[in-house]
Amino acid sequence: MKFGIIGTNFVSDFFMEGSKFVEECEVVAVCSGRYGNAIKFAEKYNIPNSFKSYEDMYEAGIIEAVYVATPNAMHKDMTEYFLEKHIPVFCEKPMASNRDEVFSMIEASRKHNTYLQEGLIPLYNPNYLILKESLDLVGPIRQVNLNFSKYSSRYDAYLNGENPTTFRSELANGSMMDLGVYIFGFCIGLFGKPNRILSAATLLDTGADVAGSSIFEYDGFIANLSYSKASTTDNYCEICGEKGTLIIDQPSNPRKLIFVDYKNNERKNLTVEVIDNFKYEIEEMIENVKKGKIESEKIPHSMSQDIHDVLTEARKQSGIVFPMDK
């Protein structure tokens, strides 16, 4: 499958690294609003074609699929453009700025019978899939603790008055949309949409958030979710039940999965080797497109919609407002 890439930031580098493990994936084009960046990216990875715009890239008639890795506020329009052209889309997380945009994108996928996949890394990760199959080990679940906190170099830029894209609400950015989305997706992927949520966040003068927390209420247990781009933690996450606890080393890229039976002082390593996260995402897309499907089997459109329904509600409760919400 011949891919075109839109955007040249670090996640596009991750895509390129993952593509090396997928024989059927060939990146033939890259585009960027800053054409010089597209040229440099193409030279770095020996990509034969570079373009100033995604329209030019499509018109060249050389791509069979596209990876969208632009700021969140741009996802909807770019994705729908390609879906209307019957070009399958791998859209980087979060799929869009809010629930309404996600709904529109999914409707476009259905209308044009064209594949759309959200790139939420952990939900394709082999250790996450084992975790999902191992929940019965802990017995009745009583508590879930998920944390993803990582100090951002862009926060230093913000403190220096440089207004980095990471903390600009007009681009639908901020800590919840960058880090929080991982644990929101992680939790909803395991347990479904919560019955009720309660959220709060620390806002910057840009209107974007730098840290926050949410409580998800499920039948029989509460999930506590915390995230921050102004501090760093070990990011260990726990699924706690009456018979034991499942421990994950990090929610964005699970590399270690342990079951602990505290009553009997026993530990069981459930970990499998992870080759490359983007490898699994790209393989998922190619396999489903070949089957004639319009959505991922691991992250169906209904799951993406649930994730973004909850993200939008959490932002509303936290006072995080994007221009496209109005």
Side-chain angles (χ1 to χ4, degrees), residues 108-313:
S109 172
R110 293 172 179 166
K111 177 180 178 181
H112 301 288
N113 195 35
T114 303
Y115 188 83
L116 170 62
Q117 174 175 309
E118 181 171 17
L120 196 50
I121 284 175
L123 277 64
Y124 304 88
N125 181 288
N127 286 311
Y128 177 85
L129 299 176
I130 293 173
L131 169 67
K132 196 169 185 177
E133 296 170 355
S134 303
L135 294 175
D136 287 346
L137 290 176
V138 305
I141 297 171
R142 295 305 180 207
Q143 184 182 34
V144 175
N145 299 309
L146 303 177
N147 185 61
F148 192 17
S149 298
K150 186 176 181 181
Y151 192 94
S152 172
S153 61
R154 304 289 182 86
Y155 186 54
D156 287 336
Y158 165 80
L159 294 175
N160 290 331
E162 298 175 21
N163 194 28
T165 57
T166 305
F167 300 112
R168 288 167 59 183
S169 62
E170 71 270 20
L171 296 178
N173 284 340
S175 187
M176 184 187 296
M177 298 295 278
D178 186 18
L179 300 185
V181 63
Y182 283 111
I183 53 177
F184 277 50
F186 194 101
C187 194
I188 292 168
L190 291 177
F191 309 115
K193 197 172 181 179
N195 300 329
R196 188 165 61 100
I197 72 168
L198 178 64
S199 297
T202 302
L203 305 186
L204 302 175
D205 58 9
T206 62
D209 64 314
V210 70
S213 294
S214 293
I215 296 173
F216 289 7
E217 181 186 274
Y218 290 96
D219 293 339
F221 69 94
I222 296 293
N224 302 288
L225 295 82
S226 298
Y227 54 89
S228 173
K229 292 182 74 68
S231 57
T232 299
T233 69
D234 288 334
N235 292 319
Y236 281 93
C237 298
E238 303 172 311
I239 314 294
C240 309
E242 295 178 3
K243 295 181 179 180
T245 298
L246 286 160
I247 301 174
I248 308 95
D249 62 338
Q250 51 182 318
S252 64
N253 179 17
R255 295 277 177 171
K256 183 178 290 187
L257 172 60
I258 306 293
F259 171 68
V260 183
D261 179 348
Y262 288 104
K263 292 180 180 178
N264 298 302
N265 196 28
E266 295 177 354
R267 289 175 174 260
K268 183 177 181 180
N269 189 345
L270 304 177
T271 308
V272 296
E273 180 184 4
V274 175
I275 298 172
D276 181 277
N277 281 298
F278 268 80
K279 167 188 180 295
Y280 305 115
E281 294 185 274
I282 296 168
E283 287 178 338
E284 174 75 5
M285 177 174 182
I286 292 175
E287 179 180 343
N288 284 301
V289 170
K290 287 168 65 177
K291 291 178 179 177
K293 296 181 178 293
I294 66 168
E295 58 188 321
S296 164
E297 294 182 350
K298 292 185 173 64
I299 308 183
H301 290 165
S302 59
M303 186 182 295
S304 286
Q305 189 68 68
D306 285 348
I307 291 168
H308 288 273
D309 284 350
V310 175
L311 276 170
T312 301
E313 176 61 25

Side-chain angles (χ1 to χ4, degrees), residues 57 68 80 160:
M57 186 170 70
V68 177
E80 292 186 353
N160 290 331

Side-chain angles (χ1 to χ4, degrees), residues 4-16 27 29-45 47 49-54 57 66-71 74-75 78 92 154 165 278:
I5 293 180
I6 309 174
T8 58
N9 59 30
F10 67 93
V11 293
S12 297
D13 289 310
F14 293 161
F15 182 95
M16 292 304 302
V27 179
V30 59
C31 70
S32 173
R34 297 180 179 179
Y35 186 47
N37 289 347
I39 293 174
K40 290 178 182 177
F41 194 87
E43 291 175 347
K44 181 178 180 180
Y45 293 107
I47 300 172
N49 302 282
S50 54
F51 296 92
K52 295 179 180 179
S53 71
Y54 62 90
M57 186 170 70
V66 66
Y67 172 56
V68 177
T70 55
M74 301 177 182
H75 287 183
M78 290 181 176
E92 188 52 56
R154 304 289 182 86
T165 57
F278 268 80

Side-chain angles (χ1 to χ4, degrees), residues 67-109:
Y67 172 56
V68 177
T70 55
N72 304 333
M74 301 177 182
H75 287 183
K76 175 183 177 293
D77 289 346
M78 290 181 176
T79 294
E80 292 186 353
Y81 174 87
F82 284 100
L83 292 174
E84 290 169 5
K85 308 293 186 183
H86 301 285
I87 298 293
V89 178
F90 175 174
C91 184
E92 188 52 56
K93 64 81 189 169
M95 187 182 284
S97 305
N98 58 42
R99 57 162 66 108
D100 293 337
E101 290 190 347
V102 170
F103 179 82
S104 177
M105 293 159 74
I106 292 172
E107 286 298 295
S109 172

